[in-house]
Amino acid sequence: MKHTTIVTLFLTTASLVGCELFVVGGSKAKPQIERSQRSSVGVVYLFKAELDSGNADAATDLLAHASGRKLLAMEKYELKDEVRRLQRLMASKEITSTKTDTLSAVAHNVSVQIDYIRTMSFGTTRLNDQWFITRWPTIAAQ
């Protein structure tokens, strides 16, 4: 009798202590994406970070012309209203998922989902080893 009590006590203790040894369906760690111009996804995250901080000037520096050249100062100035509209839609909201379509070695299409609700697509191009946004979502004026 004493032997079965000890075995039962040992098995009960081992099962209570060992509950976290095997976790079924554990959560995946969200991958960290570097906010930089070294990757196509990174430039979109950097663009959103600039919008979150209210820095429209720095956000327009990440944009390039669809032909692949950097924007002129006048073009950046003309785009500030569009960038501010994007800021109102994207600022202080989380990017919940990303998807990258490779069009060529220097052109990617990056789709981001904002707060599980809105999906936006950005065209990115590599110029001189830095990625720039060449196509951004346009928003109709209301």
Side-chain angles (χ1 to χ4, degrees):
M1 183 78 163
K2 192 173 191 180
H3 179 55
T4 58
T5 306
I6 292 174
V7 171
T8 305
L9 182 63
F10 175 74
L11 289 176
T12 305
T13 305
S15 66
L16 290 175
V17 172
C19 285
E20 282 294 317
L21 292 178
F22 301 103
V23 178
V24 178
S27 64
K28 294 181 184 178
K30 189 174 183 181
Q32 291 289 7
I33 297 176
E34 180 184 12
R35 294 180 203 161
S36 71
Q37 288 184 272
R38 289 187 263 193
S39 69
S40 58
V41 176
V43 75
V44 174
Y45 271 79
L46 181 59
F47 181 73
K48 185 183 176 320
E50 295 297 349
L51 294 179
D52 285 346
S53 67
N55 197 350
D57 292 330
T60 56
D61 288 340
L62 300 172
L63 303 178
H65 194 270
S67 66
R69 66 169 172 78
K70 290 187 178 182
L71 293 176
L72 302 172
M74 184 57 123
E75 292 172 320
K76 288 180 184 179
Y77 177 76
E78 291 171 351
L79 285 174
K80 274 193 182 179
D81 288 336
E82 186 68 25
V83 169
R84 288 197 175 106
R85 284 186 190 149
L86 282 173
Q87 182 179 12
R88 286 190 294 272
L89 290 174
M90 295 177 71
S92 303
K93 295 181 177 100
E94 181 184 0
I95 294 179
T96 51
S97 71
T98 60
K99 180 181 172 188
T100 305
D101 293 328
T102 304
L103 306 175
S104 69
V106 295
H108 292 175
N109 186 28
V110 179
S111 297
V112 294
Q113 188 177 47
I114 308 293
D115 259 355
Y116 298 104
I117 298 170
R118 176 172 281 138
T119 301
M120 296 180 169
S121 181
F122 294 87
T124 59
T125 301
R126 186 180 357 190
L127 304 170
N128 300 329
D129 292 329
Q130 288 188 325
W131 287 89
F132 289 89
I133 296 173
T134 54
R135 186 181 43 78
W136 48 90
T138 55
I139 299 102
Q142 301 202 11

